[in-house]
């Protein structure tokens, strides 16, 4: 109806179409696959849906549908969505509702849902969703709708027959005693006594009349279904049969009814009729339409658009109860066969409708070929449901298909049996039923005829292990699969020598090859090698968190395979991973940047949009900041987050979101803005149950809150966002070394900023034990920079040679990276040189370098580092006894800290060094 209404208004249609294109972009085709009529509003003929896994497809739909609702709810036209019978909603539908209701970016959407509270208990999915919504501080207004009171019953009847309430008391009292105020009962009982003449309009007196004694004497069934059944049995036989037909279907589109009904041929005889078991009932099209119209007039059916459905589920139950128990399977069998016979008219809808009917009649299907055919149909329906991220229906179809085949299916119907088990296991993984998934996977591993036939099952198994956080197990299984595919990865205690050997080997294979030559390589066509590349891509992501040495080996193997067997879309991940290895672990900045750019070219060549977010994520964090201005990556990271969400890769999307927040902080974005971003990012992670990154977000946010002034002790990461002691204990107990390092690094930075150099130096030593191969480029350089500042500050105070040496090491490291990206690191280098000039006693050079560092940091947009440079210059002049200049630089530092948003630090500076 929404689509139909839009088409009537050309101006509104154009505005809505433009809004959807702007919000949803190329992923609009995902919506069209679910809502075909949207094709009349948005043209998706030139767009392709990115091929993603089933779990990612579900995540993608939730995100894209949320964007769609934002697009169609402008401020001038808010949307109210009402959904009835939530007690029957499946889990995914409830998750979509929760996603829409909790969308803080949509202020013009209002949701109303109704459900039968007698069918909802504490553990019901609806109860869980309501609890989730309330836990996010969103208000829910509960309205209890019970039976009518005696007064309300009277008011409704008075309104219906247009008589003042005082005159309808006798009628309404009688009806209330019969129905107890049940709304459906009241209406149906009114219609019954009207049809039987117990309530009538007198043309003589021109008023409504009734006989209370006759109404009181009328028996009313104990159950609503019996009452509805009686009503249906009073209708013409053709209407009764039409209602029986619709009750078997539940609801139906007009176009699908044409698959069941018959037409007259030229001789006037009907071309088809129902089976003898259905008592020669025939549904001729025009006659059926008249019968349905009659049912609509009786209030039993609703006709919206081109669809028919019962106006209440009790009407459907009543109509279905009129089909004898022994005949129901035959009705379903006949309907299913009719749809199959004419299914080419509407193949997409016909598949699900036919399978749904035939599955209810399996007891009547005895022929082996027909059973196998139904198993195939269930496989088709299951695969289609998986592609639409409908995991519960997919599980039902696939399990039904498996149940139709006998014990010999692995021999007689091997291909069908294998696929049913493969896709059923995948559906169970997507639904989080890992125990059931494992049972099915074991069957596949035992019964599959070849290792190639086990590959899909192994991929599901590895992804499921990753989803459960069992990364080491996932890697172990993955390495076994690779060995079976001829790509063994050797892992011994002497990992360093193996890694050095593999990096050297990869470098020699690439030696002399230009980008053009690599791009011109033949396309990989070996099935097993393509499969191995797919496994390598997934395993390299797990290994980044669990075993970075293995991650490096996997990236080298991807490059080696590409050079030997040809390029494929997965090669793009291989090159960006190899480029980050060169940049981070081997200081080959030029080589790393080259292969990072090459990966993007390969991405475009193969149109591998599913890899785009990950490639941008790796490039912007590990590679680009060694060459390009750090600010230049912000927009790309933002787009990568949206892309990851549109591809349904929630874990990657949350990682990219974290990166964007940290990146913004590093670029000197105002701290209040960064704090808001971190807070919202943390909320989204909790909404999407991505708890891995939440701990890091807590640390980043508390660090920012300390600088703003929202903590009792600016040196302790304890406050609104986290408790330092608790998070550190969690990190130690769970062996989260990277989290421990992050906490220590931010505490170290706070200690330096607030002038606690001794504490800062202790935290440096605690952070020194770092065996990570991969570290984000700008974060690595910032850590080196802060270590250099701390070493210089202590060297100035103590004149200890060890600290001077540490300072010079930092200077040389920053000097190297500043040669490649002066816009990011030149101001760091000059400030470190200014500090070294102080402890070397060259005051003239120090003064010159302080001014140079202040100017460069300002020009390059790093306000926070400029504030530090101002402060260090002020301290330098204070030590020289030049109060006027010290006051000037301290004043500039104070203003810069305030501009950055670090009010706590600005106050600290003002109190410690009055200026």
């Amino acid at each position: 109806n929404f689509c139909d209404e839009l088409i009537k208004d050309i101006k509104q249609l154009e505005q809505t179409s433009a809004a959807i294109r702007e919000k949803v972009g190329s992923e609009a085709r995902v919506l069209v696959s679910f809502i075909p009529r949207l094709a009349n509003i948005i043209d998706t003929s030139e767009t392709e849906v990115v091929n993603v896994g089933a779990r990612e497809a579900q995540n993608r739909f939730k995100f894209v549908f949320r964007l769609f609702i934002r697009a169609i709810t402008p401020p001038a036209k808010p949307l109210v969505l009402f959904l009835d019978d939530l007690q029957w909603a499946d889990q995914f539908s409830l998750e979509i509702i929760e996603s829409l209701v909790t969308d803080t970016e949509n202020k013009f959407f209002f949701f109303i849902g109704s459900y039968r509270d007698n069918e909802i208990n504490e553990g019901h999915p609806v109860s869980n969703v309501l609890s989730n919504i309330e836990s996010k501080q969103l208000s829910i207004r509960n309205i209890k709708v019970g039976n009518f009171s005696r007064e309300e019953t009277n008011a409704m009847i008075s309104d219906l027959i247009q008589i003042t309430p005082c005159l309808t008391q006798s009628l309404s009292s009688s009806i209330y005693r019969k129905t107890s105020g049940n709304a459906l009962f009241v209406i149906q009982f009114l219609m019954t006594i009207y049809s039987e003449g117990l309530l009538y309009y007198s043309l003589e007196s021109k008023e409504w009349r009734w006989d209370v004694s006759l109404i009181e004497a009328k028996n009313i069934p104990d159950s609503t279904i019996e009452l509805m059944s009686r009503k249906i049995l009073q209708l013409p036989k053709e209407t009764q049969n039409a209602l029986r037909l619709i009750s078997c279907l539940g609801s139906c589109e007009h176009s699908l009814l044409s698959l069941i009904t018959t037409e007259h041929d030229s001789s006037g005889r009907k071309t088809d009729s129902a089976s003898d078991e259905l008592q020669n009932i025939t549904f001729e099209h025009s006659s059926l339409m008249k019968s349905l119209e009659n049912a609509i007039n009786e209030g039993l059916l609703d006709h919206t658009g081109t669809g028919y459905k019962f106006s209440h589920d009790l009407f459907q139950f009543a109509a279905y109860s009129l089909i004898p128990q022994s005949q129901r399977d035959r009705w379903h069998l006949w309907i299913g066969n009719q749809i199959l016979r004419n299914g080419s008219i509407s193949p997409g809808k016909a598949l699900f409708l036919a399978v749904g009917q035939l599955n209810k009649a399996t007891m009547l299907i005895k022929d082996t070929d027909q059973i196998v055919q139904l198993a195939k149909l269930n496989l088709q329906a299951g695969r289609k449901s998986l592609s639409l991220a409908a995991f519960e229906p997919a599980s039902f179809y696939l399990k039904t298909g498996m149940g139709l085949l006998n014990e010999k299916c692995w021999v007689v119907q091997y291909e069908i049996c294998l696929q049913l088990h493969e896709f059923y296991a995948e559906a169970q993984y997507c639904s989080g039923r890992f125990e059931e998934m494992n049972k099915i996977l074991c069957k596949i591993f035992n019964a599959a005829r070849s290792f190639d036939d086990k590959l899909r099952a192994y991929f599901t198994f590895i992804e499921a292990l990753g989803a459960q956080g069992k990364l080491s197990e996932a890697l172990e299984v993955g390495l076994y699969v690779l060995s079976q595919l001829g790509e063994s990865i050797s892992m011994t205690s002497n990992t360093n020598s193996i890694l050095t050997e593999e990096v050297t080997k990869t470098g020699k294979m690439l030696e002399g090859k230009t980008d053009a030559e690599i791009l011109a390589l033949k396309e990989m066509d070996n099935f097993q090698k393509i499969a191995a590349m797919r496994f390598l891509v997934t395993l390299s992501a797990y290994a980044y968190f669990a075993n970075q040495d293995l991650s490096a080996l996997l990236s080298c193997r991807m490059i080696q395979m590409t050079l030997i067997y040809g390029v494929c879309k997965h090669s793009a991940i291989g090159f960006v991973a190899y480029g980050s290895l060169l940049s981070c672990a081997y200081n080959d900045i030029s080589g790393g940047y080259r292969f990072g750019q090459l990966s993007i070219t390969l991405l475009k060549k193969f149109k591998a949009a599913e890899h785009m977010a990950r490639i941008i994520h790796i490039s912007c964090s590990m590679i680009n900041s060694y060459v390009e201005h750090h600010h230049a990556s912000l927009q790309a990271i933002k787009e990568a987050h949206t892309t990851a969400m549109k591809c349904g890769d929630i874990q990657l999307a949350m990682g990219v979101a974290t990166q964007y927040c940290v990146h913004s902080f590093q670029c000197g974005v105002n701290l209040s803005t960064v704090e808001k971003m971190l807070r919202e990012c943390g909320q989204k992670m909790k909404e999407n149950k991505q708890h891995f990154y939440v701990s890091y977000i807590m640390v980043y946010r508390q660090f920012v809150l300390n600088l703003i002034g929202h903590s009792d002790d600016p040196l302790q990461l304890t406050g609104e966002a986290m408790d330092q002691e608790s998070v550190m204990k969690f990190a130690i107990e769970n062996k989260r070394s990277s989290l421990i390092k992050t906490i220590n690094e931010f505490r170290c930075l706070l200690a330096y900023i607030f002038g606690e150099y001794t504490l800062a130096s202790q935290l440096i030593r605690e952070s020194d034990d770092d065996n990570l191969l991969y570290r984000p480029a700008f974060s690595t350089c910032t850590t080196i920079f802060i270590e250099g500042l701390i070493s210089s500050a202590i060297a100035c105070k103590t004149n200890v040679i060890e600290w001077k040496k540490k300072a010079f090491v930092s200077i040389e490291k920053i000097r190297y990276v500043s040669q490649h990206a002066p816009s990011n690191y030149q101001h760091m280098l000059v400030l470190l040189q200014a500090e070294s000039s102080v402890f070397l006693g060259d005051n003239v050079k120090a003064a010159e370098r302080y001014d140079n560092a202040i100017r460069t940091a300002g020009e390059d947009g790093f306000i926070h580092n400029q504030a530090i440079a101002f402060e260090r210059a002020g301290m330098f002049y204070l030590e020289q006894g030049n109060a006027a200049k010290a006051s000037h630089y301290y004043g500039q530092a104070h203003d810069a800290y305030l501009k950055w948003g670090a009010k706590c630090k600005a106050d600290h500076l003002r109190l410690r060094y009055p200026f």
Side-chain angles (χ1 to χ4, degrees):
N1 287 343
F2 169 76
C3 298
D4 294 341
E5 288 299 316
L6 275 180
I7 293 171
K8 296 176 184 176
D9 187 335
I10 299 300
K11 184 178 180 181
Q12 183 65 34
L13 174 64
E14 291 175 350
Q15 290 175 350
T16 304
S17 177
I20 295 172
R21 284 196 303 271
E22 180 183 351
K23 289 279 186 184
V24 181
S26 61
E27 299 305 313
R29 194 158 185 173
V30 173
L31 292 172
V32 173
S33 66
F34 281 84
I35 314 170
R37 288 189 186 177
L38 275 177
N40 297 326
I41 298 174
I42 45 178
D43 180 16
T44 60
S45 58
E46 297 183 4
T47 60
E48 294 183 13
V49 176
V50 178
N51 186 28
V52 298
R55 212 173 209 195
E56 288 77 15
Q58 189 180 68
N59 294 331
R60 173 174 65 185
F61 180 77
K62 279 198 291 188
F63 179 71
V64 171
F65 193 72
R66 180 187 262 196
L67 295 180
F68 168 69
I69 294 298
R70 288 179 193 169
I72 64 172
T73 53
K77 201 166 186 179
L79 174 68
V80 177
L81 175 63
F82 171 72
L83 293 179
D84 195 8
D85 289 322
L86 291 182
Q87 73 277 0
W88 293 332
D90 62 276
Q91 184 62 41
F92 184 42
S93 297
L94 292 172
E95 288 177 10
I96 292 175
I97 291 170
E98 182 181 344
S99 173
L100 297 178
V101 171
T102 58
D103 184 5
T104 55
E105 294 185 36
N106 192 346
K107 307 294 184 185
F108 310 102
F109 172 75
F110 186 69
F111 178 77
I112 304 172
S114 68
Y115 59 89
R116 299 172 188 173
D117 56 2
N118 62 319
E119 296 183 30
I120 301 290
N121 56 31
E122 192 173 328
H124 193 281
V126 171
S127 299
N128 296 334
V129 167
L130 292 174
S131 297
N132 291 342
I133 294 170
E134 288 179 322
S135 69
K136 291 160 188 169
Q137 283 74 54
L138 291 171
S139 61
I140 296 178
R141 183 176 179 186
N142 293 300
I143 303 172
K144 180 83 172 177
V145 181
N147 288 342
F148 290 144
S149 66
R150 189 182 298 272
E151 292 73 21
E152 289 166 339
T153 303
N154 185 52
M156 185 184 79
I157 293 173
S158 167
D159 185 62
L160 282 172
I161 62 178
Q162 294 293 290
I163 296 178
T164 56
C166 62
L167 298 178
T168 56
Q169 288 286 356
S170 62
L171 174 62
S172 63
S173 294
S174 179
I175 291 175
Y176 181 79
R177 282 192 294 274
K178 292 285 185 181
T179 63
S180 299
N182 181 290
L184 181 63
F185 247 172
V186 169
I187 294 170
Q188 291 304 314
F189 190 67
L190 267 172
M191 294 177 71
T192 299
I193 62 176
Y194 172 72
S195 64
E196 294 179 4
L198 304 182
L199 170 67
Y200 62 95
Y201 187 78
S202 171
L203 293 175
E204 288 183 18
S205 60
K206 294 184 172 54
E207 62 182 0
W208 285 94
R209 290 188 175 181
W210 55 88
D211 190 324
V212 172
S213 60
L214 291 176
I215 293 173
E216 288 284 358
K218 184 167 180 59
N219 290 326
I220 186 167
D222 293 331
S223 75
T224 314
I225 291 179
E226 189 179 346
L227 175 66
M228 300 304 105
S229 300
R230 288 188 185 182
K231 178 181 177 66
I232 293 171
L233 288 172
Q234 293 173 356
L235 301 173
K237 197 72 175 176
E238 292 79 6
T239 305
Q240 292 180 37
N241 288 331
L243 288 170
R244 289 185 177 101
L245 174 68
I246 301 299
S247 76
C248 291
L249 298 168
S251 62
C252 193
E253 290 284 319
H254 184 277
S255 59
L256 289 177
L257 284 175
S258 64
L259 305 181
I260 302 169
T261 55
T262 62
E263 298 292 342
H264 290 287
D265 61 17
S266 57
S267 63
R269 293 187 306 169
K270 293 172 182 176
T271 58
D272 191 20
S273 64
S275 63
D276 292 336
E277 289 86 353
L278 294 183
Q279 302 169 344
N280 293 319
I281 297 170
T282 302
F283 293 105
E284 189 270 322
H285 189 76
S286 61
S287 176
L288 178 62
M289 292 301 106
K290 290 177 182 177
S291 296
L292 293 179
E293 189 66 32
N294 186 25
I296 293 167
N297 294 334
E298 290 291 331
L300 299 172
L301 288 181
D302 287 336
H303 185 200
T304 54
T306 59
Y308 296 89
K309 68 172 185 176
F310 285 94
S311 52
H312 196 284
D313 60 276
L314 290 177
F315 292 142
Q316 181 184 350
F317 296 150
Y320 194 67
S321 71
L322 295 177
I323 304 174
Q325 191 85 31
S326 61
Q327 293 291 315
R328 291 175 187 174
D329 286 359
R330 300 185 187 280
W331 275 74
H332 291 300
L333 179 63
W334 178 77
I335 293 170
N337 285 330
Q338 283 290 102
I339 295 169
L340 274 185
R341 190 176 296 123
N342 303 303
S344 58
I345 300 173
S346 182
K349 294 179 181 178
L351 171 65
F352 292 108
L353 201 54
V355 173
Q357 293 297 308
L358 293 174
N359 281 343
K360 294 175 182 177
T362 53
M363 296 297 291
L364 299 179
I365 304 174
K366 305 297 183 183
D367 182 77
T368 302
D369 290 340
Q370 290 181 353
I371 291 172
V372 173
Q373 176 63 22
L374 181 54
K376 287 181 180 178
L377 290 171
N378 274 284
L379 173 60
Q380 290 177 38
R383 292 186 65 172
K384 181 65 176 176
S385 297
L386 267 180
S387 72
L388 296 173
F391 303 139
E392 293 303 322
S395 295
F396 174 79
Y397 290 127
L398 295 164
K399 189 173 184 178
T400 302
M402 287 160 55
L404 288 167
L405 303 177
N406 59 33
E407 294 178 358
K408 297 179 181 179
C409 65
W410 285 103
V411 177
V412 183
Q413 290 95 23
Y414 175 77
E415 288 297 331
I416 302 171
C417 190
L418 175 64
Q419 290 185 51
L420 281 167
H421 281 75
E422 284 176 335
F423 288 107
Y424 180 66
E426 189 174 331
Q428 295 308 290
Y429 150 61
C430 293
S431 300
R433 300 189 186 98
F434 299 115
E435 188 175 342
E436 176 71 2
M437 176 204 74
N438 287 334
K439 290 178 184 177
I440 300 301
L441 290 177
C442 284
K443 286 186 178 181
I444 296 172
F445 295 146
N446 290 328
R449 293 175 180 172
S450 67
F451 193 80
D452 284 356
D453 288 348
K454 299 177 184 179
L455 287 176
R456 188 181 189 99
Y458 270 117
F459 195 80
T460 298
F461 187 35
I462 289 168
E463 284 203 315
L465 289 170
Q468 296 171 81
K470 301 176 180 178
L471 300 187
S472 296
E473 292 179 46
L475 290 170
E476 184 179 346
V477 175
L479 291 176
Y480 165 73
V481 173
L482 289 173
S483 69
Q484 296 299 304
L485 292 171
E487 296 297 332
S488 297
I489 304 289
S490 177
M491 288 295 291
T492 65
S493 56
N494 194 5
T495 309
N496 287 336
S497 62
I498 295 173
L499 180 57
T500 301
E501 182 182 326
E502 288 298 310
V503 172
T504 303
K505 177 182 175 181
T506 306
K508 286 183 178 178
M509 291 177 71
L510 284 166
E511 193 173 339
K513 285 187 170 55
T514 64
D515 290 359
E517 288 172 332
I518 293 171
L519 291 169
L521 289 170
K522 70 166 188 172
E523 194 166 325
M524 193 179 291
D525 54 9
N526 183 307
F527 166 77
Q528 287 197 331
K529 299 307 176 185
I530 294 172
M533 287 289 283
R534 186 186 178 203
F535 279 99
L536 284 164
V537 167
T538 298
L539 294 173
S540 66
Y542 296 158
Y544 175 81
F545 296 107
N547 186 336
Q548 290 201 349
D549 288 342
L550 176 57
S551 183
L553 290 172
L554 296 174
S555 66
C556 287
R557 183 59 57 90
M558 283 189 272
I559 301 301
Q560 294 166 15
M561 288 181 64
T562 296
L563 297 174
I564 296 171
Y565 301 106
V567 290
C568 66
K569 64 180 181 179
H570 305 307
S571 301
I573 293 290
F575 276 106
V576 76
Y578 180 67
S580 66
L581 176 65
L582 294 181
S583 293
C584 297
Y586 293 92
N587 288 325
D588 183 1
I589 291 175
S590 299
Y593 187 72
R594 173 201 169 190
F595 292 118
Q597 295 300 299
L598 181 61
S599 73
I600 294 173
T601 306
L602 281 168
L603 182 77
K604 294 175 181 176
K605 177 180 178 179
F606 286 96
K607 298 179 180 178
E610 68 269 30
H611 290 326
M612 191 191 89
R614 186 171 168 188
I615 287 173
I616 298 300
H617 179 43
I618 296 173
S619 295
C620 291
S621 61
M622 304 290 182
I623 299 172
N624 291 0
S625 293
Y626 282 128
V627 179
E628 301 174 359
H629 197 299
H630 199 52
H631 292 64
S633 296
L634 273 172
Q635 185 59 34
I637 297 171
K638 191 173 185 179
E639 291 172 1
H641 170 259
T642 302
T643 300
M645 289 296 290
K646 286 183 177 180
C647 288
D649 194 336
I650 301 297
Q651 185 176 34
L652 176 60
M654 294 302 102
V656 177
T658 303
Q659 179 190 7
Y660 183 76
C661 294
V662 175
H663 212 90
S664 299
F665 164 75
Q666 292 168 340
C667 288
V669 173
N670 186 272
L671 292 178
S672 295
T673 303
V674 174
E675 190 278 327
K676 182 183 178 185
M677 289 164 52
L678 288 165
R679 180 168 17 97
E680 292 176 350
C681 186
Q683 289 171 350
K684 287 180 180 177
M685 287 176 181
K686 290 174 183 176
E687 285 176 20
N688 289 285
K689 300 178 178 63
Q690 295 295 318
H691 302 295
F692 180 83
Y693 292 105
V694 171
S695 302
Y696 295 92
I697 286 289
M698 287 162 54
V699 176
Y700 302 145
R701 184 170 168 236
Q702 191 57 57
F703 170 78
V704 171
L705 287 169
N706 282 25
L707 289 173
I708 292 173
H710 295 173
S711 65
D712 295 332
D713 182 354
L715 300 178
Q716 296 289 315
L717 290 170
T718 296
E720 181 184 332
M722 66 173 277
D723 176 76
Q724 180 179 297
E725 185 177 343
S726 299
V727 177
M728 184 63 86
K729 182 181 178 183
F730 164 82
I732 293 170
E733 289 176 352
N734 291 275
K735 299 178 181 179
R736 295 275 293 273
S737 56
S738 60
L739 180 57
I740 295 170
K741 184 173 179 63
T742 300
I743 293 170
N744 286 334
E745 285 182 350
F746 277 101
R747 286 189 64 207
C748 179
L749 182 52
L750 284 171
Y752 176 77
I753 288 175
F754 287 98
E756 299 294 334
Y757 305 130
T758 303
L759 174 61
S761 64
Q762 292 172 359
L763 291 166
I764 282 179
R765 291 192 179 96
E766 291 178 23
S767 301
D768 275 346
D769 184 21
D770 184 5
N771 297 317
L772 296 177
L773 281 175
Y774 300 95
R775 289 293 309 280
F778 200 86
S779 296
T780 300
C781 295
T782 298
T783 299
I784 295 168
F785 173 55
I786 296 301
E787 287 178 355
L789 289 176
I790 293 168
S791 300
S792 297
I794 297 176
C796 288
K797 281 192 170 186
T798 65
N799 205 32
V800 174
I801 192 68
E802 177 192 352
W803 290 107
K804 292 181 181 180
K805 287 180 179 179
K806 284 179 176 288
F808 284 124
V809 169
S810 294
I811 288 172
E812 290 310 308
K813 287 181 179 179
I814 295 296
R815 189 195 307 277
Y816 175 72
V817 294
S818 70
Q819 293 171 0
H820 294 273
S823 60
N824 291 332
Y825 308 115
Q826 184 65 26
H827 71 280
M828 295 184 183
L829 174 62
V830 179
L831 182 54
L832 289 175
Q833 288 174 332
E835 295 282 275
S836 68
S837 296
V838 173
F839 65 68
L840 290 175
D842 191 343
N843 294 336
V844 174
K845 185 76 75 174
E848 177 187 328
R849 285 172 169 168
Y850 278 127
D851 285 340
N852 192 3
I854 290 166
R855 177 182 54 78
T856 309
E859 290 174 351
D860 292 332
F862 297 101
I863 182 68
H864 50 312
N865 287 343
Q866 186 184 43
I868 291 173
F870 273 126
E871 183 180 0
R872 296 305 299 172
M875 194 171 294
F876 165 71
Y877 284 112
L878 189 63
E879 291 289 332
Q880 298 300 308
N882 191 335
K885 278 203 169 185
S887 178
H888 167 74
Y889 283 100
Y890 278 134
Q892 293 295 312
H894 179 269
D895 291 346
Y897 281 125
L898 282 180
K899 186 177 179 181
W900 182 33
K903 186 178 183 299
C904 183
K905 172 57 189 176
D907 291 344
H908 170 268
L909 190 65
R910 178 172 50 79
L911 294 172
R912 191 170 180 180
Y913 305 108
F915 48 86

